Each structure stands twice: as C-alpha cells, then as structure tokens.
Amino acid sequence: MTDARRTDAVLLLVALVWGSSYLSAQTAAAALPVLLVLFARYALSALPCLALVAAHGGPRGWTRAEVRAGLPLGVTQAAVLVVETYGVAHTTAANAGLIISLTIVLTPLLDRTGRQGGPPPAFLAAAGVCVLAVGLLMSGNGFHAPRLGDLLMLAAAGVRAAHVALVGRLTAGRAIRPLHLTTVQTLVGTALFLLPAARDLPALARADAATWAQLVYLALFSSVFAFLAQTWAVQRTSASRASLLLGTEPVWAAAVGIALGGEHLTPLTALGAALMVAGTYWGQAVERAHRTARAAAGPQTTGKARPFAQAPSPGSDEGDDSGGGGGSSGEDAVRRPTTLTGG
C-alpha cells in the first residue's frame, strides 16, 4: 500500500469510527443513564490523554494559553455531548449522524472572527437544501410532528457549530497543541459530569461486557484514536482530500445504523439523506472556492476581512474540530487544534 493510499485509508477509518459512534452512544445510553455514559466516556478518554501528555513533558508542559482556551472549550464541548447523547437516545443513529452534518453549514454562519460581510448566496442555497433534508429526515413514514430526538440533534448541530466557532476564536494566532488542549477538555468534562453521575456510579460495576465495550469504544476509538489518527493523516495529504474523506461520516452513520442497528430508511428519509449529503458537500465546495478566491485577490482580503471560514466535518474532533470528536475539513480547519466533539 502506498503512503497516499494508507493516509486515505486512515481518514476513511476515522470517518467510519465517528459515524459508528452514534449507534454506540445509543446502545450505551439504553443501558445506562446518559450522564453516567458521558462521565465514563470522558474519564476513559482522560486517562490515555494524560499518559500521552506525561510522555511529552508532563503537566508542566502545558502553556497558559492552552489552559485558558481548554477550560471554556471543555464546558462547551460537554454541552455538545449532552445534547447529542440525549438526542441519539431518542432517534435513529442514521438520523443523528445525518442531522449533525448541519454543523458544516452552520459554523461559517456563526464564525464571524475577523471577517466582514456574509456568506455567498450559493452557500445560503446549500444551507437551504440541508434544512429541507432535515425536514425529510424528521418525517419518517410521513409528515408529522418532529420527534424529540431529531429536535435535540438539530440543537446539537447548533451547539457544536458554536463550539467550533469558539475554538477558532480562542486559538487563532496562539501556539496551542491539539493533544494538550484536548486533555484539558477531557479533564473539564470528567469534572463536570462526576457530581451529576455520582449516584449512578454503582451501575457501572453492574454493567455487562457489551455496555463496557461501547463505553471503551466511544472513549478510546471515537475520541483518542480518532484524534491521533486524524492529526497524523491531515499532515500527509491535501486539505481538500482530507475534507472529502472525513465528510463521509454521515454516510457511515447511516450505513452502520441500517446494517448493525436494524434501522430502515423510508423513501422520504432516503431522499432526506441524499439531500443532506449533497447539501453539505455543496456548501463545502462553495466555501472552499470563496476562500480561495479571497486569498488570491491579495493581502487586503486576509487582514481584517478574513476569508470565509470553513467548518470542520461534523464528527470531527476539530475545532473541530473529537467530538468526538470530530471530525472534520478544509485547509483552515485541519490546521486548528483538534477537540473531542465526535459522535
């Protein structure tokens, strides 16, 4: 396997892991209280992160900028995962992964850092396609009142977009290392969920092996592994190629939900899924072309009027960049510190 193919395979694996994390979160939340699931996920993620930090200089290696950025981002990241996990517990894993894709088109609308003017009309049209897709995904077997889980995932997309925009604001122009920033956020999340989950902690001891497997998968694979693998891969490929491969996350979410979760797509939801993928890819292409054109126009577009910023892929752990997460793409996005916002 050539280096290029190996890098592509790693990025596709990251997208698959993030896409499958919705079904894992749904399964874990069915067996344990949501807040306990989140505490376990954060605590299990914090341990290997702390070990990696210790191997790279220990706690003294943290800079003041990393701690100052990590504390508020840990809070917003925890908010993302609370809404996401409650949402996926009340809808299908396929819908969860597809609706959260709205993060891609919502983030540039919220990210006003150093930018004047609004998005191009074509981007708003792409966002409109995504909104239509959400309506179809919520319809299920026919048009009806939206389900609670779908509304929560819609809210999660908005909260995640705000989190990603905040990452850009707090890390712009600062030397912040992704591993150290991520570790601060895992510690903040662990502390935030410890008290709410304390009375249910005995349930962890009674959890079966399958539930523990889901928790370990969410913590070690969807968070830590995906973060490290993404960081490794995006340094070895182009931003556009990374964006394209990481952007397949909602496709994997739907595929895993159908293949392993016994979920079904009706004609309306299948149309919604197709429109969601098309809308997010269209939005990414419009943003990338707009940013490239602004950069080519000269330095007057790069100072106070920063090029239209691209959102990471939805499950990308980039900021949005691990959750979880996520993510996910574009040249500006992949160079930002990675955070656990994925699934």
Side-chain angles (χ1 to χ4, degrees):
M1 183 181 293
T2 65
D3 287 343
R5 288 179 180 270
R6 185 180 299 110
T7 302
D8 288 351
V10 169
L11 287 169
L12 280 174
L13 181 58
V14 170
L16 171 59
V17 167
W18 281 333
S20 63
S21 68
Y22 298 100
L23 181 59
S24 293
Q26 184 183 63
T27 304
L32 296 170
V34 167
L35 296 179
L36 183 60
V37 169
L38 292 172
F39 168 74
R41 177 175 179 174
Y42 267 108
L44 292 172
S45 298
L47 294 175
C49 284
L50 285 171
L52 290 170
V53 168
H56 291 80
R60 293 182 180 179
W62 268 302
T63 66
R64 184 175 299 180
E66 289 165 349
V67 175
R68 284 181 174 177
L71 292 175
L73 291 177
V75 175
T76 56
Q77 181 191 80
V80 171
L81 289 183
V82 166
V83 183
E84 270 190 16
T85 309
Y86 274 111
V88 77
H90 294 87
T91 188
T92 65
N95 268 21
L98 290 161
I99 293 173
I100 205 68
S101 301
L102 278 173
T103 303
I104 290 177
V105 293
L106 288 176
T107 303
L109 298 176
L110 296 176
D111 184 8
R112 313 295 297 180
T113 306
R115 175 166 55 83
Q116 296 176 351
F123 186 87
L124 297 178
V129 171
C130 291
V131 172
L132 174 61
V134 170
L136 292 173
L137 289 169
M138 290 181 176
S139 67
N141 294 315
F143 291 102
H144 52 75
R147 289 174 292 185
L148 174 62
D150 293 330
L151 292 176
L152 287 172
M153 292 309 301
L154 188 59
V159 177
R160 182 188 280 188
H163 169 75
V164 172
L166 184 62
V167 171
R169 178 173 299 181
L170 294 182
T171 61
R174 297 177 176 89
I176 294 179
R177 293 160 295 182
L179 173 60
H180 290 69
L181 180 65
T182 298
T183 304
V184 174
Q185 292 178 93
T186 60
L187 293 173
V188 170
T190 302
L192 287 176
F193 290 114
L194 175 58
L195 187 59
R199 68 176 183 178
D200 294 318
L201 285 177
L204 280 178
R206 298 191 298 269
D208 58 23
T211 301
W212 272 104
Q214 301 295 343
L215 294 174
V216 170
Y217 182 79
L218 287 171
L220 300 187
F221 288 88
S222 180
S223 297
V224 180
F225 162 76
F227 153 65
L228 293 174
Q230 181 196 30
T231 302
W232 176 86
V234 297
Q235 293 174 342
R236 291 165 172 80
T237 189
S238 69
S240 297
R241 195 173 186 86
S243 174
L244 178 65
L245 295 169
L246 291 172
T248 61
E249 178 197 346
V251 179
W252 292 113
V256 170
I258 294 170
L260 301 180
E263 299 174 359
H264 303 281
L265 286 181
T266 66
L268 282 178
T269 53
L271 177 60
L275 287 176
M276 179 62 75
V277 174
T280 52
Y281 272 87
W282 183 19
Q284 283 184 319
V286 169
E287 187 283 326
R288 189 180 303 116
H290 183 79
R291 173 165 40 84
T292 302
R294 292 288 296 272
Q300 69 272 16
T301 65
T302 60
K304 294 184 178 180
R306 178 179 162 216
F308 190 49
Q310 174 166 349
S313 125
S316 137
D317 291 345
E318 266 204 271
D320 57 202
D321 48 271
S322 132
S328 70
S329 254
E331 190 168 0
D332 289 342
V334 296
R335 289 178 180 174
R336 287 180 179 175
T338 304
T339 57
L340 301 178
T341 59

